[in-house]
Amino acid sequence: MSIFNDISAIQNIIYIFSSILFISGIKMLGKEDTAVKGNFLSAMAMFIAVSVTIINVVNPIIVIIGIGIGALIGSLIALKVKMTSIPEMVALFNGFGGLATFFIAWSEFNAIPDNVFQYVLIMLTTYIGGVTFSGSIIAYGKLSEKLKIQKDSIITKLFTTLFYLSILFLVYSTALTSFIEIPIDFYKVLLILTLLGGIGFVLPIGGGDMPVVISLLNSFSGIAAAFAGLLLLNNVLIVAGSLVGASGLILTVIMAKAMNRSIGNILFVGYASTSKSSGSQETGEVKPINVSDAYLILENATSVLVIPGYGMAVAQAQHVVRELGELLEENGTEVKYGIHPVAGRMPGHMNVLLAEANVPYDVLVEPDDVNPSMDTVDVAIVIGANDVVNPSATEEPGSPIYGMPIIEVHNARTVFVLKRSMSAGFAGVQNPLFFKENTRMLFGDAKDSIGGLVSEFKE
Amino acid sequence: MEIYALLGFVLILSIYLGLELISKVPSTLHTPLMSGANAISGIALVGALALSSDTQLQEILALLAITFASINVFGGYLVTNRMLKMFKKK
């Protein structure tokens, strides 16, 4: 008996050491110079915590099989995935973490809890873990464009109802724990409703709001792990889980601020119902431009600002964009990249794509840095971005996106907009930028258009 | 019951610490931070290893929990590292 006590005491001491490593790791992950080291420290923390837990594990065969399969699948996905698919892959991994806590809670229910606290924790861990899992799978489906269900379809409405029902059932069952021992059948209903509810949570949320949803699900997976830690009385689970919960929460708030919307509005209302009018019915002539004319203007520009959006990711245009940037610099032009926080489908999506194409991160600038000096920019090239450069956000108080911080490209001397067609952006708002005096539309696939400019420069 | 109050205290302090530590993250690091934090949430693996397996159902649940948490841990750390290696200064 005393040996077991000793092992448990040693484990707890090492868990504290591991927690300190996690804390320093995540701190360093937040700074450019130390990020790689921070990730390594956090991996070390994980290794130490897992190793010290394995010492007195009950069933070694299960452990070896489980970790073996998990390591194989996880490593394969991580090393094979293309950088453009990072958003959906993060969603998938996140879902798996949630699923693990879901199973932990389920198993603990079968271990027959001996007090009300444990019952409540099991309910909460089951719910948060389960919603993280099924919600992340739906996010994965939406991000990889394998799942296409309309917001106002009957299926979406059905699942949304199930989501609200699942919350009610969770509240009901946690309240019930004070009075009776929860029967297994009752718990099974919670298991099923939780998974269906998670689907209903994410299904109605549109693609452009995905940065918020992913951050929030990220936060949930941490909170689920922290609750599992309370359930199992394990301090390292609590500390590490809380850190993840906090970082996810911060990103969620940053994303919501960048859209000038409340988190509640994003999750439960969506763009379409924020305003009936779709902003100004701006009409007028759009002025198309072809590649060779665009080249002539670029050749004489002294400063160029590139604003990428989700369209650049779809067209896989980041490599030709970098090539164009290099050619412009050889030509004596100053090139910067204006990155809006919510451009793309996850926080920092554009930064990752440009990094993959070898664009150094110190030429990437944020809206606040670039807006004051916009009138000195000769050419702003908008590649597949729409709502984040929509001047309605600053000019029209009636617009659904009014108040959202944007990159004010309309103040640049000339604007090139690379676009496939004249369709509205995700928000469904017409973009007056396209009709401005200084705007030229370069229609077509972004990769082809930029490629055309590159070959003009090479001639 | 006292243990829950104590661990609840640890929970609140850790969340506060997390909010303080990460409040100012440059947008370049948003994705790696999310992916790195995601890997940390694989700490559920430690919880999964501590599960008892008295019944067959519990054995299966433990195996599943360990497997999925491991995918999260290995995949998360590797992809974060891959991503961070791409970020270069001029």
Side-chain angles (χ1 to χ4, degrees), chain A residues 13-47:
Chain A
I13 291 168
I14 296 179
Y15 283 157
I16 294 174
F17 180 63
S18 158
S19 302
I20 294 171
L21 281 181
F22 272 125
I23 293 167
S24 344
I26 205 157
K27 187 185 176 193
M28 290 162 85
L29 203 52
K31 291 194 186 71
E32 278 132 351
D33 301 332
T34 54
V36 176
K37 211 176 153 199
N39 190 47
F40 180 73
L41 275 192
S42 127
M44 281 305 295
M46 183 69 74
F47 179 76

Side-chain angles (χ1 to χ4, degrees), chain A residues 80-403:
Chain A
K80 295 266 174 196
V81 71
K82 279 191 198 151
M83 281 300 142
T84 35
S85 309
I86 289 280
E88 52 260 40
M89 201 217 45
V90 170
L92 196 64
F93 284 158
N94 198 42
F96 288 164
L99 188 59
T101 51
F102 180 77
F103 288 137
I104 290 174
W106 188 354
S107 170
E108 282 297 294
F109 185 88
N110 285 289
I112 322 277
D114 54 25
N115 62 52
V116 177
F117 264 117
Q118 285 190 357
Y119 268 117
V120 172
L121 283 170
I122 286 172
M123 301 292 169
L124 289 176
T125 314
T126 305
Y127 192 78
I128 304 173
V131 165
T132 306
F133 169 65
S134 55
S136 297
I137 295 302
I138 297 301
Y140 168 79
K142 288 193 165 216
L143 290 164
S144 56
E145 304 197 332
K146 285 178 183 138
L147 184 81
K148 281 170 188 157
I149 292 178
Q150 291 301 313
K151 183 182 158 62
D152 45 9
S153 75
I154 185 84
I155 298 171
T156 311
K157 286 195 176 118
L158 175 72
F159 276 104
T160 312
T161 314
L162 284 169
F163 169 57
Y164 291 118
L165 201 65
S166 70
I167 294 180
L168 284 178
F169 195 79
L170 173 72
V171 174
Y172 176 59
S173 46
T174 40
L176 216 57
T177 51
S178 326
F179 305 108
I180 58 162
E181 216 168 84
I182 301 292
I184 181 81
D185 289 334
F186 197 84
Y187 182 70
K188 278 180 188 161
V189 177
L190 180 72
L191 287 178
I192 294 164
L193 265 183
T194 296
L195 294 179
L196 295 175
I199 298 176
F201 175 54
V202 179
L203 209 51
I205 303 173
D209 288 337
M210 277 300 150
V212 179
V213 178
I214 293 207
S215 312
L216 197 65
L217 288 172
N218 190 221
S219 179
F220 282 0
S221 72
I223 294 169
F227 277 175
L230 281 176
L231 187 59
L232 302 166
L233 306 180
N234 186 312
N235 55 24
V236 71
L237 241 77
I238 298 175
V239 173
S242 307
L243 291 176
V244 178
S247 90
L249 203 61
I250 287 175
L251 284 177
T252 311
V253 172
I254 294 177
M255 293 303 115
K257 267 192 189 154
M259 292 181 176
N260 190 39
R261 291 161 66 199
S262 72
I263 295 168
N265 174 280
I266 293 163
L267 296 181
F268 302 115
V269 185
Y271 256 123
S273 34
T274 45
S275 167
K276 274 169 244 68
S277 75
S278 60
S280 70
Q281 295 300 312
E282 183 118 13
T283 45
E285 291 288 302
V286 295
K287 292 171 279 295
I289 193 173
N290 60 30
V291 168
S292 26
D293 291 342
Y295 161 71
L296 291 176
I297 297 176
L298 280 177
E299 203 197 5
N300 292 311
T302 52
S303 78
V304 166
L305 182 72
V306 179
I307 299 93
Y310 185 56
M312 183 184 81
V314 174
Q316 301 265 355
Q318 66 271 28
H319 296 280
V320 279
V321 167
R322 189 254 313 151
E323 215 179 334
L324 178 68
E326 282 175 1
L327 288 165
L328 280 166
E329 280 181 338
E330 278 169 31
N331 196 33
T333 312
E334 186 199 15
V335 183
K336 290 232 149 102
Y337 298 80
I339 312 289
H340 195 280
V342 293
R345 288 292 184 266
M346 72 175 164
H349 193 182
M350 294 300 122
N351 306 69
V352 176
L353 290 184
L354 291 173
E356 187 207 5
N358 276 324
V359 176
Y361 63 77
D362 35 2
V363 295
L364 310 187
V365 290
E366 293 180 35
D368 287 346
D369 303 324
V370 72
N371 280 339
S373 56
M374 190 60 81
D375 51 349
T376 64
V377 172
D378 289 320
V379 185
I381 311 177
V382 178
I383 306 171
N386 192 342
D387 296 326
V388 299
V389 291
N390 191 334
S392 302
T394 55
E395 290 168 356
E396 283 171 46
S399 168
I401 61 166
Y402 182 73

Side-chain angles (χ1 to χ4, degrees), chain B residues 7-36:
Chain B
L7 290 176
F9 189 61
V10 174
L11 177 85
I12 302 295
L13 277 184
S14 309
I15 291 178
Y16 182 75
L17 183 66
L19 292 175
E20 283 294 308
L21 282 182
I22 326 165
S23 59
K24 278 183 191 138
V25 178
S27 52
T28 301
L29 288 177
H30 282 169
T31 297
L33 175 72
M34 197 168 68
S35 161

Side-chain angles (χ1 to χ4, degrees), chain A residues 371 373-377 395 408-415 433 438:
Chain A
N371 280 339
S373 56
M374 190 60 81
D375 51 349
T376 64
V377 172
E395 290 168 356
E408 295 163 1
V409 289
H410 55 281
N411 293 332
R413 292 199 183 107
T414 309
V415 184
L433 175 72
N438 54 345

